[in-house]
């Protein structure tokens, strides 16, 4: 019996260790590759959001907290952890829907199929929650960089930012693509940020030095811990200079990131920070479409966005 078979609701994820979470993510990718190849469906997008979806469900409390997928075809992992694991009839009449479906589950609040509307949904749902005295419930909107090329998303973001006490978390799934590579001014800004951060963070000297000082200072008593916190704050300032985040922060919302969307611990830490903030937050996660499946990653046209049987 695999780990996936033991997951009947998002609450079951809280019982798993970090080692088991990594094993579950690998199992989910294998499940998707095997099952979607039999029925056809959206493979690449879902392989890319395994870590993000698991992290969201580990930190937030669905269905009390509402999760809205901007492009609903990236909700397969969400379906798996909310008790819908029979993919034999995916996208067939009378079978499992290829998008969120309110008739299928209380965990699907919006039947979203395509891009740029999720932030408007999050705006409306969070406003309603405030009006009905349920302002402590969160709305999490998962939106891709491709969807952010739509003006509807930016209009809604402007409205969300004005509600300083609304519990809205916008997760930007930045994989540099919609169907094909994302183009335009926004895409250029995000691509520059992604490549800069990647080069800086993956430099071995940077990693080794950071780890050495972290161990040294954290073991140095109160003075060492104070120095570590000061240097950590300075590091954030350097990162802001190295890769400006004003693109998002100028909206007036708290910005967290960029994080690696396939690093389970980093995703969950970012989600907890966003949850504890108590107002509108943007979590910027860099991901890979088709993650974990070499043929998808190598397919330049659309990285197996949608596949047939």
């Amino acid at each position: 019996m695999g780990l996936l078979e033991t997951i009947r609701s998002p609450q079951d994820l809280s019982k798993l260790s970090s080692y088991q979470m990594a094993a579950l993510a690998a199992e989910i990718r294998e499940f998707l590759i095997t099952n979607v190849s039999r029925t056809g469906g959206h493979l690449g997008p879902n392989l890319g959001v395994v870590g993000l979806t698991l992290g969201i469900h580990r930190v937030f409390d669905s269905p009390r907290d509402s999760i809205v997928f901007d492009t609903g075809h990236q909700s397969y992992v969400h379906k798996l952890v909310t008790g819908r694991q029979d993919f034999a009839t995916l996208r067939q009449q009378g079978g499992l829907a290829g998008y969120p479906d309110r008739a299928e589950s209380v965990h699907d609040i919006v039947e979203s199929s395509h891009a740029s509307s999720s932030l408007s949904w999050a705006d409306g749902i969070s406003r309603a929650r405030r009006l009905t005295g349920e302002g402590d419930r969160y709305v999490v909107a998962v939106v891709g960089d491709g969807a952010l090329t739509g003006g509807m998303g930016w209009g809604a973001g402007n409205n969300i930012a004005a509600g300083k006490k609304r519990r809205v978390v916008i997760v930007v799934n930045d994989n540099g693509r919609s169907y094909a590579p994302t183009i335009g001014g926004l895409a250029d800004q995000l691509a520059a940020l992604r490549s800069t951060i990647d080069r800086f963070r993956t430099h071995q000297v940077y990693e080794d030095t950071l780890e050495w000082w972290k161990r040294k200072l954290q073991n140095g008593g109160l003075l060492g811990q104070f120095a570590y916190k000061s240097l950590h704050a300075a590091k954030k300032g350097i990162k802001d200079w190295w890769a400006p985040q004003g693109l998002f922060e100028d909206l007036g919302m708290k910005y967290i990131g960029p994080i690696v969307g396939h690093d389970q611990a980093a995703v969950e830490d970012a989600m907890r920070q966003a949850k504890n903030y108590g107002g509108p937050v943007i979590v910027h996660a860099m991901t890979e479409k088709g993650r974990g499946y070499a043929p998808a990653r190598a397919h330049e046209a659309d990285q197996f966005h949608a596949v047939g049987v």
Side-chain angles (χ1 to χ4, degrees):
M1 187 177 187
L3 279 170
L4 182 57
E5 295 173 72
T6 69
I7 307 300
R8 295 300 170 193
S9 75
Q11 287 68 38
D12 292 331
L13 295 173
S14 64
K15 305 170 187 175
L16 302 183
S17 66
S18 57
Y19 174 81
Q20 289 174 313
M21 286 299 296
L24 176 63
E27 193 176 321
I28 286 174
R29 288 194 173 92
E30 186 64 33
F31 177 98
L32 292 172
I33 294 164
T34 301
N35 286 272
V36 177
S37 66
R38 292 172 179 159
T39 60
H42 290 88
L43 182 58
N46 286 285
L47 291 173
V49 297
V50 175
L52 282 182
T53 307
L54 293 177
I56 290 168
H57 275 299
R58 287 256 284 183
V59 173
F60 295 95
D61 183 22
S62 178
R64 175 172 170 74
D65 297 328
S66 300
I67 302 172
V68 180
F69 289 91
D70 193 87
T71 42
H73 59 243
Q74 64 180 327
S75 65
Y76 291 9
V77 184
H78 165 77
K79 286 175 182 270
L80 287 174
V81 299
T82 54
R84 289 168 281 176
Q85 297 179 8
D86 182 5
F87 270 49
T89 59
L90 177 67
R91 304 203 314 172
Q92 297 176 22
Q93 186 173 1
L96 189 70
Y99 298 87
D101 187 336
R102 290 165 62 96
E104 278 185 6
S105 175
V106 294
H107 297 279
D108 294 358
I109 190 169
V110 173
E111 298 187 351
S112 53
S113 61
H114 279 89
S116 299
S117 64
S118 65
L119 302 193
S120 293
W121 280 110
D123 179 30
I125 294 168
S126 63
R127 284 175 185 271
R129 296 270 163 79
R130 295 281 293 177
L131 291 171
T132 57
E134 297 178 296
D136 61 332
R137 297 174 67 181
Y138 290 83
V139 184
V140 182
V142 183
V143 59
D145 57 295
L148 285 180
T149 59
M152 188 178 187
W154 291 100
N158 179 66
N159 295 336
I160 291 169
K164 299 300 183 185
K165 299 296 184 182
R166 284 196 277 157
R167 308 289 179 92
V168 178
V169 177
I170 300 169
V171 180
V172 178
N173 174 31
D174 178 11
N175 61 16
R177 308 179 74 94
S178 50
Y179 295 98
T182 312
I183 60 173
L186 173 65
D188 293 343
Q189 289 274 9
L190 291 176
L193 175 60
R194 171 187 283 262
S195 62
T196 300
I197 289 292
D198 281 349
R199 286 197 306 271
F200 191 61
R201 282 184 170 171
T202 56
H203 198 288
Q204 195 58 47
V205 173
Y206 168 81
E207 291 295 335
D208 292 344
T209 303
L210 196 66
E211 186 60 29
W212 188 87
W213 277 107
K214 181 179 178 180
R215 287 197 308 269
K216 189 86 171 172
L217 294 174
Q218 287 184 328
N219 293 329
L222 290 175
L223 186 60
Q225 290 173 20
F226 175 77
Y228 172 73
K229 289 178 181 178
S230 300
L231 286 172
H232 185 73
K235 187 194 81 169
K236 185 184 185 306
I238 292 169
K239 187 182 77 171
D240 289 346
W241 166 78
W242 187 272
Q245 300 160 8
L247 174 67
F248 294 114
E249 288 186 334
D250 283 352
L251 284 173
M253 282 186 269
K254 174 71 174 176
Y255 172 93
I256 298 172
I259 61 166
V260 177
H262 308 298
D263 182 334
Q264 197 65 52
V267 170
E268 291 179 26
D269 182 60
M271 296 303 165
R272 280 190 290 269
Q273 287 184 55
K275 186 175 184 179
N276 292 335
Y277 183 68
V281 180
I282 289 174
V283 177
H284 182 192
M286 299 187 296
T287 64
E288 294 177 346
K289 194 172 183 178
R291 172 79 173 187
Y293 189 42
R297 294 292 302 147
H299 192 259
E300 184 57 34
D302 66 8
Q303 294 181 331
F304 286 18
H305 180 84
V307 298
V309 174

